[in-house]
Structures are given as C-alpha cells and as structure tokens.
Amino acid sequence: MTREALRSTASPAVRYVWATTGVAALGTAWWVAFVTIGATTEAIAYIFVPIAGAISTASVVHLSRRTRLDPVAWRFWRAVLVAMAMMTIGYGWLALDMLTHIATAHTRTMPVPAAACVAMGFAIAIWAIARVPVVAAGGAERWRMLLDRTIAFLGCAAVLWYLGLAPMLSASEPWSPQAMVLVALGFLAAVGAATKVSYVPGGPVDRAALRFLAASGGVTSGVVAVLAVRFGYEAAVPAQAFVMPLTPLLATLGVAAQWRAGLGPRRAPARGGVLLPYLAVAAVDVPLIAVAFGAPLRWPGRVVVLAAVVVTGLVTVRQYIAFRENVRLLRTARVQEERLQYEVSHDGLTGLANRALFRDRLTTVLDTTGRASVLLVDLDDFKAVNDLLGHGVGDRLLVSIAQLLRAETGDGGLPVRLGGDEFAVLLTGAGPDPEELAGRLLATLDRPISEHRLLVQASIGIADARPGATVDSVLRDADVAMYTAKQRGKASFVRYADGMGEPVLAHMQLGGELRRALDGDELRVLYQPILRLDDHRMIGVEALVRWHHPARGVVSPAEFIPAAERTGLIVPLGRFVLRETCRQAAAWLSAFGPDALQEAALNVSARQLHDPDFVSDVRAALADSGLPCKRLVLEVTESAVLRGQQVSRTLYELDRMGIRLALDDFGTGESSLSLLRAFPAAIVKLDKSFVDGIEIDDGQPAAANARQAVARAVIQLAHALGLDTVAEGVESAEQAAVLRELGYTLGQGYHLAQPMTADAVSRLLAGQQAMAAADHGG
C-alpha cells in the first residue's frame, strides 16, 4: 500500500483526533474567558469532558467497523468502547446535574450514579488491559516476568500514592469521596497499562495505543491531584474545562495509533520490560529520600515505607530466581560446550578420536618427549562390503572395527578414525610395542566380526617419530608402509624403513602422470589378431592399450594398470579404450565388409563393472560408432565375476544387449566350473599357463597326457555347453598343432601375430580380402 493510500485510509482517525483537540482547546479558551472576564457560569466547564468523550467513543466505533482487527485486538477495543461509553455517560450525567443546579454548582458534588458509571468504565478499562496477552514465557522466565511486573506496579503506585492521592486525602479542602475514588482508579489504570505495555509483543494490540491509554488515565489524574492539593475547590473548574478533556484526546490518539498499526507493516517487537523494574525501584526510593531529608513521617509515608519493604523483598526474590537461572544457563552452556568439543574432536559414527584430535595429540607428543609411533590401519577391499551388502552393514562393520581397536589398544594408545575405512593408533612411550599390537590386530581380524559375522582383513603401516619429525612426515611414513603392505599381498603389517618411500612415491607419481596421459595424446590402442589355427585367417582382434611416455618411453601395462586401478583412473582409461575400439572396428567393417571381422574384444576390470555408468558408456560407444552389439566382446576375469551382485547385474544386462562376454584366463581361478553355469559367457579363453609346454614330447605318454589334461578338459566342457574357445599365448607351431588336435580352432599369441597398430590390421585385412578374391576368381 502506498503512502498516499495509507494517509487517506487513516484520515478518519486523524479527524477524530482534531475534533477532540478542538474540544480541549475550546475548553481552555472558555476557562481563560471565565477567569479574565467572568463569562457565563462555571457549570459550563462540565460539558467539555462528555463532548470529547462522545467523539472518542465514536472513533472506537469507527475503528471496529472500518478496519480488520485481530480477534484479540477486537475484544480489547470492544471493552474500551464500553468503558469510554460508561465514562461519557457518567460525565454527561455530571454536566446535566451541574447545568440544572447552576446556583450550587460551586459546592455541588458528583452524583453517586454518575460516579458509579465512571468507576465502572475505569474497571472495564482495567479489565481490558489485564486481558491483553503478554510475551509468551514459561518456567523461570514466567516467574521473573511476574515479579518484574509486580515490582513495577508497586513502585509506580507508591509514587502516585505519595505525590498524588495521599495529599488529596489530607488537603485542607478535601474533594468528595467520589472524586478521589475516580482519581485513584485513573492512577490504577495508568499504572496497569504502563506495566502491561512493557511486556506486550508487537501485536495485535498496538504498544503505542496502550501507551496513550496509560497516559489518558495517569496524566489527567496526576494533574487533577496536583490542582486539588494546590487550589482546593477552585481547581474543579480548570480540571473540568481543559485538564480532564485530555483523557478522551489521549484515548483518541491511541485509536489512531491502532488504526495505523493495522494498515502499515508491523515492526518486529523489541524485548520490553528490561528497564521498568529498575525505574520502579528508583521511583519508590523518591518518597524515602524525602522522608530522609526531613519530610514528616505520617501514615501516607508509612504506606510508602511498607511498599518499599515489599518491593525490596520482591527484588531479592527476583534476583535469586535470576541467579538460579544464570546458574542453569551456565551449566547448560558448559554441557553444550563439552558436547561441541567432543563432536569436533571425535568421529560421529564410531566415537573414536578423529583426525583433528589425532594431529593435536601427535603434535603435543612431538613437541615434548618426541617418542611416538603411529599404526595406520586400512581395511582391505572394504568397498566390496558397501557394494554387496549396503552402507548400513558397512557402517556397523566400521563400528565393530572401532571396538576392536579400543579393546586391543587399551589405555596405552589413542585409537583414531581418520576417515572412510582408514584408522590409526597413536602410541607413546608407555604404550604397547607397535609390531606386537599390529600382530594382535591382524590375528583378531582372522575371525569373523560384527553382528553380520564378516571376515575382513587389513593392511597396517607402522612409522616411528624420528628426530625433527612433523605430524605430516610421520603420517607420510606410515602411509608409505601401509601401501607397501598392500603391495606385498595385504593382510600384513610393514614397519617403515629409510628408502621405502621411493618406489611408492614413484608409483604415486605414475598415477598423476597417467591422468596427464589421458588428457593428452600419450595412450595408444594396439590390436592383437585372433586367428584360425588351421589357415591363420584373422577373425577378430583383442584391443591392448600402450602408454608412450614422453620421458620414459613405452610404459609396460604391468606397471601402469595397477596404478590406474589404485587411483580409479581405470574407469576413464577403460572408457577411452572402449570408444576407440568400437570406432576402429566400425571403420574396418565399413572399409572391408561385414565378413572381414567377426569380433573386437577388449578387457574390462572389476572396477569398471562396479561403475553404475558402465552400461551407459558401452551403449553410447556402440551408438556413436555404429558398431553392432554382436561384434563387441568384453573379456572379464574370474576374479571380477566373483565381485558381487552389482557386477552380476551389469554382466547380465550386457548379455541382454547382445554383447558377447568372454571368460579370460580361464582355469586360473578357484571357481571356474561353477562360473560357466552362473555367468552368461559366450567364449572361454584358455589361459597361457595351460598352453605352455603342451607341445613337449619326451617319449612318456603319461606325462604328455598330464600336460594336455586341462586343455582337453576345457575344450570338452566348452563343446558340451555350446561355448566358443580361444587358446591364449600360442608361441610356436608345435603348440598350435597340438591345440588343433585337441579341438581348438582359434588362438592368439606371438607365434600367430603380435600386437599391431590399426594400420597394420588394415593391411592384414586388405591382404586377406585380396587372397579371398583371388581364390574366388580362380
């Protein structure tokens, strides 16, 4: 809503304010004329209050009808409307009584029914103020607020009693009981409203409106009391002419404040009541100071002294409650601080110390005694647990490992979870021997642990703090030792020794350089032909990746493939080989016809099969290259097939796509025969180890049969299951001849053809095509 719209909407409230202001000004002008020239009779002074009261009452009616009030605010202003109407009736009755008894107006008192109406109006106003909701609070805060309000009420009431109402009672010309009761009710309403407004939140009853209502009772009652004490009966005329009309004027200002609050944006409530109790305590001391400086101690002063004693007692109780609350808050803050410190320094899953606390403790030891040993414990193949059994089972396994570390370490060391499946133990001079502890840990891990009875192994690296060592250097040495333990076959521990880090560092550097090779143009795909053993005709190729390092030359796959597996680069490396193989195979089919090449094979690692995007990568490579699915062969090892349900789902999905799967290095694993039934294989590749020596003829038939037994069993099993076979590692004509006699039709090896570039394969295909054309032409 714009400023102009707000101003136009609020204009009725402003008109009521100007109207009541005009009545008060008119009353003031009449009183001046009455005092200076004696105009009219003093009974006229009594008409200004009811006139202003009627206008103020009308403003409340207009507020209720023209604005959308909250139900709480509507109930409050409805009560105020009734209160103002009752007061207007009472003062109208008084004015009528004075105008009908002009001769005795100077000494005539307020009629009791009129006073009763005004008193009832004050009572209703006090009741309405009491019903206004205060800031929600509970417990000790609720008691503190109640004490603060009581202290403020008694302090303000004591001052108004001592300076206002008590002097009226003891004045030389005391006013009528009706008048003093009404003044007392005005004081009571003012004190109640002032106390209440300090604890009212920012709505629905506007705080400024409550302040104006408090002033309407307190200001006028206070001025009337002063006039009564100072001038006696003569004060009645100015009180009625221009002092008491201020009550409806201030009430109308309150209506205008509520009107504006309902139209404009509501301000965020500030915390009220903070200073009020202290001001009240200071106020109650004012009469005491007056008594101390010689004022007579009569019964009004004794009332003030009694009020001061009560206020002091309440302040003491309030401070005691505040003290208890502060103690509770401090205790809570201390507990929260300790909890935060624990959470910052401990692992949330296992409860072990975390890396931050580990570094802090190790730093302290290195700065003092310098005697420390670190065991770095890394679980072997923990990823398989998460992949096969889920992360919930993996988390419970980590908790069991943490409990094991606590039990074996005891009080002599600090077990730590560094992150993931990596743990550590910090041992100081008083702890157990590092190698003895590592041995106990490995021995304990030989038995199933956790509620799922899982068998897990770990590789442990041990490093001792040397003179001048830092936290990072100790951790680096332990990491090198742990990595060396993994290279030596896992499930073991290794203690760091000088020079041990050089090969490990070289291996890590190799991983970094491999990333650069993937981004650059250092990787090449070679192809080893797969030939028919009878006529050496090429029917397919197997893709092999080679790395042409700019400084080292050709890096052996036996060197960089493990680095790729360890760093996870095997996934993008495999994707590169897959896309290049599909592209090149499609190009050969396009150039030499669909009969030129039956299959293009490439190796796939277990890490790739675990990748959730692997099937999508294969589908995209085939779609982009245009290679038919049946022409692609993916070779997997027996160990990869046994890596769990994720791998199994991936293999079956590839098989449904029409991609042929080959079981590579067949016969070297522990479950070869069972795999042929559980795995959707189309091709079995006989491992080179069963081809070596198969051609030896030493004149002993039994020995020759033994050397050929596995190869013979594999071909018979493959024929029975309807699988194709390929013999790997054929390195001589004699081996090829024996394999043909056993029933093998396909083979690959250095005797048949070495790995070659794509151009060399193209020349080979062109030669075969030319020979086929010549044979057909002949």
Side-chain angles (χ1 to χ4, degrees), residues 69-103:
L69 292 176
D70 181 270
V72 174
W74 187 83
R75 287 196 299 268
F76 172 77
W77 286 106
R78 183 182 59 180
V80 172
L81 172 62
V82 175
M84 294 176 66
M86 293 298 296
M87 294 181 191
T88 301
I89 293 173
Y91 282 110
W93 192 324
L94 174 62
L96 182 62
D97 182 79
M98 290 298 178
L99 290 174
T100 55
H101 300 83
I102 294 177

mmCIF file of all heavy atoms in Angstrom, residues 69-103:
data_model
loop_
_atom_site.group_PDB
_atom_site.id
_atom_site.type_symbol
_atom_site.label_atom_id
_atom_site.label_comp_id
_atom_site.label_asym_id
_atom_site.label_seq_id
_atom_site.Cartn_x
_atom_site.Cartn_y
_atom_site.Cartn_z
ATOM 1 N N LEU A 69 -9.570 -6.014 12.388
ATOM 2 C CA LEU A 69 -8.824 -6.221 13.623
ATOM 3 C C LEU A 69 -8.663 -7.711 13.906
ATOM 4 O O LEU A 69 -9.548 -8.519 13.603
ATOM 5 C CB LEU A 69 -9.541 -5.562 14.799
ATOM 6 C CG LEU A 69 -9.600 -4.031 14.809
ATOM 7 C CD1 LEU A 69 -10.435 -3.558 15.978
ATOM 8 C CD2 LEU A 69 -8.187 -3.427 14.879
ATOM 9 N N ASP A 70 -7.523 -8.044 14.505
ATOM 10 C CA ASP A 70 -7.324 -9.392 15.021
ATOM 11 C C ASP A 70 -8.362 -9.654 16.118
ATOM 12 O O ASP A 70 -8.793 -8.719 16.810
ATOM 13 C CB ASP A 70 -5.903 -9.502 15.579
ATOM 14 C CG ASP A 70 -5.595 -10.884 16.112
ATOM 15 O OD1 ASP A 70 -5.848 -11.118 17.319
ATOM 16 O OD2 ASP A 70 -5.100 -11.710 15.340
ATOM 17 N N PRO A 71 -8.800 -10.905 16.280
ATOM 18 C CA PRO A 71 -9.814 -11.174 17.324
ATOM 19 C C PRO A 71 -9.410 -10.674 18.707
ATOM 20 O O PRO A 71 -10.258 -10.177 19.463
ATOM 21 C CB PRO A 71 -9.945 -12.701 17.291
ATOM 22 C CG PRO A 71 -9.609 -13.073 15.877
ATOM 23 C CD PRO A 71 -8.545 -12.097 15.454
ATOM 24 N N VAL A 72 -8.143 -10.796 19.053
ATOM 25 C CA VAL A 72 -7.697 -10.310 20.366
ATOM 26 C C VAL A 72 -7.836 -8.799 20.444
ATOM 27 O O VAL A 72 -8.343 -8.243 21.437
ATOM 28 C CB VAL A 72 -6.246 -10.747 20.620
ATOM 29 C CG1 VAL A 72 -5.721 -10.120 21.916
ATOM 30 C CG2 VAL A 72 -6.141 -12.260 20.692
ATOM 31 N N ALA A 73 -7.392 -8.102 19.380
ATOM 32 C CA ALA A 73 -7.498 -6.636 19.361
ATOM 33 C C ALA A 73 -8.962 -6.206 19.349
ATOM 34 O O ALA A 73 -9.335 -5.220 19.988
ATOM 35 C CB ALA A 73 -6.767 -6.071 18.153
ATOM 36 N N TRP A 74 -9.807 -6.945 18.633
ATOM 37 C CA TRP A 74 -11.226 -6.584 18.567
ATOM 38 C C TRP A 74 -11.875 -6.702 19.948
ATOM 39 O O TRP A 74 -12.662 -5.830 20.345
ATOM 40 C CB TRP A 74 -11.930 -7.504 17.565
ATOM 41 C CG TRP A 74 -13.356 -7.099 17.323
ATOM 42 C CD1 TRP A 74 -13.808 -6.149 16.466
ATOM 43 C CD2 TRP A 74 -14.506 -7.656 17.978
ATOM 44 N NE1 TRP A 74 -15.186 -6.062 16.517
ATOM 45 C CE2 TRP A 74 -15.643 -6.980 17.452
ATOM 46 C CE3 TRP A 74 -14.701 -8.637 18.936
ATOM 47 C CZ2 TRP A 74 -16.934 -7.271 17.865
ATOM 48 C CZ3 TRP A 74 -15.985 -8.925 19.347
ATOM 49 C CH2 TRP A 74 -17.090 -8.251 18.821
ATOM 50 N N ARG A 75 -11.566 -7.771 20.692
ATOM 51 C CA ARG A 75 -12.115 -7.900 22.050
ATOM 52 C C ARG A 75 -11.633 -6.761 22.942
ATOM 53 O O ARG A 75 -12.404 -6.221 23.754
ATOM 54 C CB ARG A 75 -11.710 -9.249 22.644
ATOM 55 C CG ARG A 75 -12.443 -10.437 22.053
ATOM 56 C CD ARG A 75 -12.279 -11.664 22.936
ATOM 57 N NE ARG A 75 -10.865 -12.029 23.061
ATOM 58 C CZ ARG A 75 -10.253 -12.894 22.266
ATOM 59 N NH1 ARG A 75 -10.934 -13.478 21.272
ATOM 60 N NH2 ARG A 75 -8.983 -13.191 22.446
ATOM 61 N N PHE A 76 -10.350 -6.393 22.791
ATOM 62 C CA PHE A 76 -9.812 -5.320 23.628
ATOM 63 C C PHE A 76 -10.520 -3.997 23.346
ATOM 64 O O PHE A 76 -10.985 -3.320 24.273
ATOM 65 C CB PHE A 76 -8.313 -5.175 23.376
ATOM 66 C CG PHE A 76 -7.695 -3.970 24.033
ATOM 67 C CD1 PHE A 76 -7.422 -3.960 25.388
ATOM 68 C CD2 PHE A 76 -7.417 -2.830 23.295
ATOM 69 C CE1 PHE A 76 -6.868 -2.843 25.990
ATOM 70 C CE2 PHE A 76 -6.849 -1.712 23.893
ATOM 71 C CZ PHE A 76 -6.583 -1.724 25.246
ATOM 72 N N TRP A 77 -10.617 -3.631 22.067
ATOM 73 C CA TRP A 77 -11.214 -2.330 21.742
ATOM 74 C C TRP A 77 -12.728 -2.329 21.971
ATOM 75 O O TRP A 77 -13.314 -1.264 22.237
ATOM 76 C CB TRP A 77 -10.882 -1.956 20.310
ATOM 77 C CG TRP A 77 -9.444 -1.524 20.173
ATOM 78 C CD1 TRP A 77 -8.427 -2.215 19.629
ATOM 79 C CD2 TRP A 77 -8.903 -0.300 20.648
ATOM 80 N NE1 TRP A 77 -7.245 -1.504 19.726
ATOM 81 C CE2 TRP A 77 -7.514 -0.313 20.347
ATOM 82 C CE3 TRP A 77 -9.425 0.812 21.297
ATOM 83 C CZ2 TRP A 77 -6.662 0.730 20.669
ATOM 84 C CZ3 TRP A 77 -8.581 1.874 21.618
ATOM 85 C CH2 TRP A 77 -7.209 1.825 21.303
ATOM 86 N N ARG A 78 -13.347 -3.480 21.907
ATOM 87 C CA ARG A 78 -14.767 -3.537 22.264
ATOM 88 C C ARG A 78 -14.945 -3.214 23.745
ATOM 89 O O ARG A 78 -15.873 -2.462 24.129
ATOM 90 C CB ARG A 78 -15.321 -4.919 21.942
ATOM 91 C CG ARG A 78 -16.826 -5.052 22.224
ATOM 92 C CD ARG A 78 -17.306 -6.463 21.938
ATOM 93 N NE ARG A 78 -16.590 -7.443 22.767
ATOM 94 C CZ ARG A 78 -16.808 -8.749 22.716
ATOM 95 N NH1 ARG A 78 -17.702 -9.243 21.866
ATOM 96 N NH2 ARG A 78 -16.123 -9.560 23.495
ATOM 97 N N ALA A 79 -14.047 -3.759 24.601
ATOM 98 C CA ALA A 79 -14.112 -3.440 26.032
ATOM 99 C C ALA A 79 -13.809 -1.966 26.277
ATOM 100 O O ALA A 79 -14.455 -1.306 27.121
ATOM 101 C CB ALA A 79 -13.146 -4.318 26.817
ATOM 102 N N VAL A 80 -12.818 -1.428 25.542
ATOM 103 C CA VAL A 80 -12.504 0.002 25.676
ATOM 104 C C VAL A 80 -13.699 0.851 25.262
ATOM 105 O O VAL A 80 -13.991 1.895 25.876
ATOM 106 C CB VAL A 80 -11.252 0.343 24.841
ATOM 107 C CG1 VAL A 80 -11.023 1.856 24.798
ATOM 108 C CG2 VAL A 80 -10.023 -0.346 25.419
ATOM 109 N N LEU A 81 -14.391 0.415 24.206
ATOM 110 C CA LEU A 81 -15.584 1.148 23.760
ATOM 111 C C LEU A 81 -16.626 1.206 24.871
ATOM 112 O O LEU A 81 -17.196 2.281 25.157
ATOM 113 C CB LEU A 81 -16.156 0.454 22.515
ATOM 114 C CG LEU A 81 -17.513 0.970 22.023
ATOM 115 C CD1 LEU A 81 -17.418 2.421 21.604
ATOM 116 C CD2 LEU A 81 -18.010 0.103 20.853
ATOM 117 N N VAL A 82 -16.873 0.078 25.513
ATOM 118 C CA VAL A 82 -17.848 0.055 26.604
ATOM 119 C C VAL A 82 -17.380 0.947 27.752
ATOM 120 O O VAL A 82 -18.171 1.713 28.345
ATOM 121 C CB VAL A 82 -18.066 -1.392 27.080
ATOM 122 C CG1 VAL A 82 -18.983 -1.418 28.305
ATOM 123 C CG2 VAL A 82 -18.662 -2.240 25.959
ATOM 124 N N ALA A 83 -16.074 0.882 28.079
ATOM 125 C CA ALA A 83 -15.545 1.696 29.174
ATOM 126 C C ALA A 83 -15.683 3.177 28.876
ATOM 127 O O ALA A 83 -16.125 3.969 29.736
ATOM 128 C CB ALA A 83 -14.067 1.326 29.393
ATOM 129 N N MET A 84 -15.335 3.579 27.642
ATOM 130 C CA MET A 84 -15.431 5.002 27.297
ATOM 131 C C MET A 84 -16.883 5.462 27.247
ATOM 132 O O MET A 84 -17.210 6.608 27.631
ATOM 133 C CB MET A 84 -14.732 5.251 25.961
ATOM 134 C CG MET A 84 -13.231 5.015 26.017
ATOM 135 S SD MET A 84 -12.430 5.207 24.429
ATOM 136 C CE MET A 84 -12.665 6.938 24.150
ATOM 137 N N ALA A 85 -17.758 4.573 26.807
ATOM 138 C CA ALA A 85 -19.180 4.936 26.790
ATOM 139 C C ALA A 85 -19.703 5.139 28.211
ATOM 140 O O ALA A 85 -20.449 6.096 28.485
ATOM 141 C CB ALA A 85 -19.976 3.852 26.066
ATOM 142 N N MET A 86 -19.310 4.250 29.121
ATOM 143 C CA MET A 86 -19.742 4.400 30.514
ATOM 144 C C MET A 86 -19.204 5.692 31.116
ATOM 145 O O MET A 86 -19.938 6.405 31.834
ATOM 146 C CB MET A 86 -19.272 3.199 31.333
ATOM 147 C CG MET A 86 -19.931 1.874 30.949
ATOM 148 S SD MET A 86 -21.720 1.880 31.194
ATOM 149 C CE MET A 86 -21.820 2.074 32.965
ATOM 150 N N MET A 87 -17.936 6.014 30.855
ATOM 151 C CA MET A 87 -17.376 7.262 31.389
ATOM 152 C C MET A 87 -18.073 8.474 30.785
ATOM 153 O O MET A 87 -18.359 9.470 31.486
ATOM 154 C CB MET A 87 -15.877 7.320 31.088
ATOM 155 C CG MET A 87 -15.047 6.281 31.804
ATOM 156 S SD MET A 87 -13.301 6.461 31.400
ATOM 157 C CE MET A 87 -12.649 4.948 32.091
ATOM 158 N N THR A 88 -18.355 8.412 29.495
ATOM 159 C CA THR A 88 -19.045 9.546 28.851
ATOM 160 C C THR A 88 -20.437 9.734 29.449
ATOM 161 O O THR A 88 -20.876 10.870 29.701
ATOM 162 C CB THR A 88 -19.141 9.290 27.337
ATOM 163 O OG1 THR A 88 -17.819 9.128 26.807
ATOM 164 C CG2 THR A 88 -19.827 10.452 26.640
ATOM 165 N N ILE A 89 -21.132 8.628 29.697
ATOM 166 C CA ILE A 89 -22.456 8.718 30.336
ATOM 167 C C ILE A 89 -22.333 9.328 31.725
ATOM 168 O O ILE A 89 -23.126 10.204 32.130
ATOM 169 C CB ILE A 89 -23.108 7.331 30.399
ATOM 170 C CG1 ILE A 89 -23.444 6.836 28.989
ATOM 171 C CG2 ILE A 89 -24.346 7.349 31.283
ATOM 172 C CD1 ILE A 89 -23.931 5.398 28.946
ATOM 173 N N GLY A 90 -21.310 8.877 32.486
ATOM 174 C CA GLY A 90 -21.141 9.401 33.840
ATOM 175 C C GLY A 90 -20.858 10.889 33.849
ATOM 176 O O GLY A 90 -21.479 11.664 34.623
ATOM 177 N N TYR A 91 -19.926 11.322 32.979
ATOM 178 C CA TYR A 91 -19.600 12.751 32.955
ATOM 179 C C TYR A 91 -20.716 13.558 32.285
ATOM 180 O O TYR A 91 -20.899 14.758 32.591
ATOM 181 C CB TYR A 91 -18.270 12.973 32.253
ATOM 182 C CG TYR A 91 -17.086 12.638 33.145
ATOM 183 C CD1 TYR A 91 -16.290 11.527 32.891
ATOM 184 C CD2 TYR A 91 -16.795 13.438 34.250
ATOM 185 C CE1 TYR A 91 -15.226 11.201 33.709
ATOM 186 C CE2 TYR A 91 -15.719 13.118 35.069
ATOM 187 C CZ TYR A 91 -14.935 11.998 34.810
ATOM 188 O OH TYR A 91 -13.894 11.690 35.638
ATOM 189 N N GLY A 92 -21.471 12.956 31.396
ATOM 190 C CA GLY A 92 -22.653 13.655 30.854
ATOM 191 C C GLY A 92 -23.706 13.861 31.925
ATOM 192 O O GLY A 92 -24.361 14.917 31.990
ATOM 193 N N TRP A 93 -23.871 12.832 32.753
ATOM 194 C CA TRP A 93 -24.796 12.953 33.902
ATOM 195 C C TRP A 93 -24.357 14.084 34.817
ATOM 196 O O TRP A 93 -25.171 14.901 35.265
ATOM 197 C CB TRP A 93 -24.805 11.625 34.641
ATOM 198 C CG TRP A 93 -25.896 11.469 35.673
ATOM 199 C CD1 TRP A 93 -26.409 12.417 36.503
ATOM 200 C CD2 TRP A 93 -26.601 10.267 35.954
ATOM 201 N NE1 TRP A 93 -27.363 11.917 37.298
ATOM 202 C CE2 TRP A 93 -27.532 10.578 36.992
ATOM 203 C CE3 TRP A 93 -26.564 8.969 35.476
ATOM 204 C CZ2 TRP A 93 -28.390 9.621 37.522
ATOM 205 C CZ3 TRP A 93 -27.430 8.037 36.006
ATOM 206 C CH2 TRP A 93 -28.323 8.358 37.013
ATOM 207 N N LEU A 94 -23.033 14.166 35.091
ATOM 208 C CA LEU A 94 -22.495 15.230 35.934
ATOM 209 C C LEU A 94 -22.762 16.599 35.325
ATOM 210 O O LEU A 94 -23.166 17.552 36.019
ATOM 211 C CB LEU A 94 -21.003 15.022 36.146
ATOM 212 C CG LEU A 94 -20.265 16.135 36.905
ATOM 213 C CD1 LEU A 94 -20.812 16.290 38.332
ATOM 214 C CD2 LEU A 94 -18.757 15.848 36.952
ATOM 215 N N ALA A 95 -22.528 16.716 33.996
ATOM 216 C CA ALA A 95 -22.754 18.010 33.333
ATOM 217 C C ALA A 95 -24.225 18.410 33.414
ATOM 218 O O ALA A 95 -24.563 19.590 33.667
ATOM 219 C CB ALA A 95 -22.294 17.916 31.877
ATOM 220 N N LEU A 96 -25.109 17.447 33.189
ATOM 221 C CA LEU A 96 -26.534 17.750 33.256
ATOM 222 C C LEU A 96 -26.936 18.169 34.676
ATOM 223 O O LEU A 96 -27.722 19.116 34.865
ATOM 224 C CB LEU A 96 -27.331 16.514 32.824
ATOM 225 C CG LEU A 96 -28.848 16.672 32.800
ATOM 226 C CD1 LEU A 96 -29.260 17.750 31.787
ATOM 227 C CD2 LEU A 96 -29.523 15.341 32.449
ATOM 228 N N ASP A 97 -26.351 17.482 35.657
ATOM 229 C CA ASP A 97 -26.665 17.842 37.050
ATOM 230 C C ASP A 97 -26.184 19.250 37.368
ATOM 231 O O ASP A 97 -26.897 20.019 38.042
ATOM 232 C CB ASP A 97 -26.016 16.822 37.979
ATOM 233 C CG ASP A 97 -26.329 17.087 39.439
ATOM 234 O OD1 ASP A 97 -27.440 16.725 39.873
ATOM 235 O OD2 ASP A 97 -25.437 17.619 40.126
ATOM 236 N N MET A 98 -24.994 19.618 36.892
ATOM 237 C CA MET A 98 -24.469 20.956 37.166
ATOM 238 C C MET A 98 -25.284 22.020 36.443
ATOM 239 O O MET A 98 -25.537 23.114 36.989
ATOM 240 C CB MET A 98 -22.998 21.035 36.753
ATOM 241 C CG MET A 98 -22.093 20.221 37.651
ATOM 242 S SD MET A 98 -22.132 20.809 39.360
ATOM 243 C CE MET A 98 -21.039 19.639 40.164
ATOM 244 N N LEU A 99 -25.692 21.746 35.191
ATOM 245 C CA LEU A 99 -26.452 22.746 34.433
ATOM 246 C C LEU A 99 -27.850 22.950 35.008
ATOM 247 O O LEU A 99 -28.437 24.046 34.878
ATOM 248 C CB LEU A 99 -26.556 22.304 32.972
ATOM 249 C CG LEU A 99 -25.241 22.364 32.173
ATOM 250 C CD1 LEU A 99 -25.433 21.770 30.784
ATOM 251 C CD2 LEU A 99 -24.734 23.806 32.079
ATOM 252 N N THR A 100 -28.369 21.928 35.648
ATOM 253 C CA THR A 100 -29.693 22.072 36.272
ATOM 254 C C THR A 100 -29.627 22.629 37.692
ATOM 255 O O THR A 100 -30.669 22.949 38.282
ATOM 256 C CB THR A 100 -30.419 20.719 36.294
ATOM 257 O OG1 THR A 100 -29.597 19.755 36.945
ATOM 258 C CG2 THR A 100 -30.722 20.255 34.865
ATOM 259 N N HIS A 101 -28.409 22.724 38.233
ATOM 260 C CA HIS A 101 -28.228 23.303 39.573
ATOM 261 C C HIS A 101 -27.117 24.335 39.516
ATOM 262 O O HIS A 101 -26.105 24.261 40.211
ATOM 263 C CB HIS A 101 -27.875 22.217 40.602
ATOM 264 C CG HIS A 101 -28.909 21.155 40.737
ATOM 265 N ND1 HIS A 101 -29.011 20.069 39.901
ATOM 266 C CD2 HIS A 101 -29.949 21.035 41.652
ATOM 267 C CE1 HIS A 101 -30.006 19.296 40.262
ATOM 268 N NE2 HIS A 101 -30.625 19.874 41.336
ATOM 269 N N ILE A 102 -27.324 25.336 38.660
ATOM 270 C CA ILE A 102 -26.268 26.336 38.425
ATOM 271 C C ILE A 102 -25.939 27.096 39.700
ATOM 272 O O ILE A 102 -24.771 27.392 39.984
ATOM 273 C CB ILE A 102 -26.708 27.308 37.312
ATOM 274 C CG1 ILE A 102 -26.825 26.537 35.981
ATOM 275 C CG2 ILE A 102 -25.730 28.469 37.183
ATOM 276 C CD1 ILE A 102 -27.327 27.404 34.841
ATOM 277 N N ALA A 103 -26.921 27.367 40.522
ATOM 278 C CA ALA A 103 -26.676 28.203 41.709
ATOM 279 C C ALA A 103 -25.753 27.518 42.689
ATOM 280 O O ALA A 103 -24.963 28.185 43.382
ATOM 281 C CB ALA A 103 -28.010 28.531 42.384
#
